[in-house]
Amino acid sequence: MDFYTMLSRYYDEIFPLDTDCLSFVREHCGPGMTLMDAGCGSGALVRRLRKEGVDARGFDLDSSMIDLARKGLAEDGITGALSPEEIFRTGDLADTDLFCGDKEYDVITCLGNTLVHIDFPGQIRFLGKVCSALKPGGLLVLQILNYMNIREEGQGFPVLEGENSRFIREYRRSDDERRLFFHTSLEDKRSGECYCNSVTHYPLLPEALMALLSMNAFAEWETYGDWDGSAAGSGQPALIVAARSEQ
């Protein structure tokens, strides 16, 4: 069994839907509006919003996550005119064909530090496609780690312990400042099996992200350090951006 198939078994236990994140998105996306969640994982956000009347969809690189999302959607019994295969699709952020069309969405979300899984040129392409896919004045909600902290002090991640799993994460530096190696270990408490994985992240400092937004025709944005609306800055765990496309 590969790492992500294993992770999909415990994803919702390790990363339950953040109620503060849900409230933040709800403020900008209500019934009858359209939303795409890029890097949707198990699809918890999309499924919850669909129950509330939002035409929400998602995609993720890992097929086992998409299988999990589709299964959950079928259990919910709320799909509307779309099939589970239309609501949840497999693909990565650099795939510009994953959005249904130009000016299609009221809101696009990219959460959980997903953007830094692709390299800098891919990040530029993704943000450009997002801006094209948003309706005039549409909103991108983007969440990454606050890499100012990591650059200055390093980043320690708490161990995530659930009833059936234990998840350990750490960053290791590369020879340059453009990449970080993200090492993870997932233990199945019941069987004692342990799965390890390592991927490359391409971190974005706040000034670089703001430059990318400006390059890709986002007209204005606000930044936060957490979903509670606290200000972004040194010491905050995250960098959350709510960016509007041009009218």
Side-chain angles (χ1 to χ4, degrees):
M1 184 186 305
D2 67 31
F3 177 82
Y4 285 101
T5 300
M6 178 72 170
L7 180 60
S8 68
R9 290 184 173 185
Y10 301 112
Y11 190 85
D12 289 330
E13 176 179 293
I14 297 169
F15 301 110
L17 180 60
D18 188 310
T19 55
D20 289 335
C21 172
L22 176 62
S23 296
F24 188 98
V25 175
R26 274 180 177 151
E27 290 180 10
H28 305 285
C29 194
M33 299 177 72
T34 54
L35 176 142
M36 175 65 81
D37 189 15
C40 63
S42 66
L45 176 64
V46 169
R47 290 168 52 201
R48 181 62 175 268
L49 292 173
R50 291 193 70 83
K51 288 181 180 179
E52 299 176 6
V54 177
D55 181 7
R57 311 175 194 186
F59 66 85
D60 196 275
L61 179 63
D62 188 71
S63 60
S64 58
M65 291 293 181
I66 293 300
D67 289 342
L68 183 65
R70 290 172 178 170
K71 180 181 178 181
L73 193 66
E75 292 172 352
D76 294 340
I78 303 174
T79 59
L82 300 177
S83 68
E85 291 72 24
E86 291 173 305
I87 294 169
F88 288 116
R89 293 173 289 161
T90 303
D92 65 38
L93 300 188
D95 186 346
T96 58
D97 295 328
L98 286 168
F99 298 103
C100 293
D102 288 344
K103 311 305 179 187
E104 176 79 12
Y105 299 99
D106 295 293
V107 177
I108 293 175
T109 55
C110 184
L111 311 176
N113 211 40
T114 300
L115 182 62
V116 303
H117 285 73
I118 58 176
D119 62 17
F120 191 68
Q123 293 167 2
I124 295 173
R125 290 194 300 272
F126 172 72
L127 291 173
K129 183 61 180 179
V130 165
C131 198
S132 296
L134 285 170
K135 296 177 181 178
L139 186 72
L140 166 66
V141 180
L142 176 67
Q143 177 198 28
I144 63 172
L145 288 175
N146 182 357
Y147 284 100
M148 289 176 62
N149 292 343
I150 297 170
R151 182 180 65 176
E152 295 169 3
E153 304 173 8
Q155 173 79 34
F157 295 94
V159 174
L160 300 179
E161 193 123 17
E163 180 181 354
N164 301 302
S165 62
R166 188 168 185 261
F167 192 53
I168 300 171
R169 305 159 291 167
E170 66 171 339
Y171 266 136
R172 298 177 187 171
R173 296 186 182 277
S174 66
D175 293 334
D176 57 60
E177 295 185 355
R178 296 188 298 274
R179 299 173 299 153
L180 289 169
F181 301 125
F182 188 55
H183 293 261
T184 52
S185 174
L186 175 63
E187 178 188 351
D188 184 325
K189 290 183 177 180
R190 294 172 297 183
S191 68
E193 294 176 285
C194 188
Y195 291 79
C196 298
N197 190 59
S198 180
V199 297
T200 302
H201 283 180
Y202 301 87
L204 278 169
L205 292 173
E207 58 267 25
L209 179 55
M210 302 308 116
L212 289 184
L213 292 172
S214 181
M215 287 170 55
N216 285 286
F218 285 93
E220 57 185 36
W221 52 81
E222 296 178 342
T223 59
Y224 307 92
D226 210 337
W227 294 116
D228 61 7
S230 56
S234 179
Q236 291 282 29
L239 175 61
I240 298 166
V241 178
R244 291 281 178 192
S245 63
E246 292 183 342
Q247 295 286 344

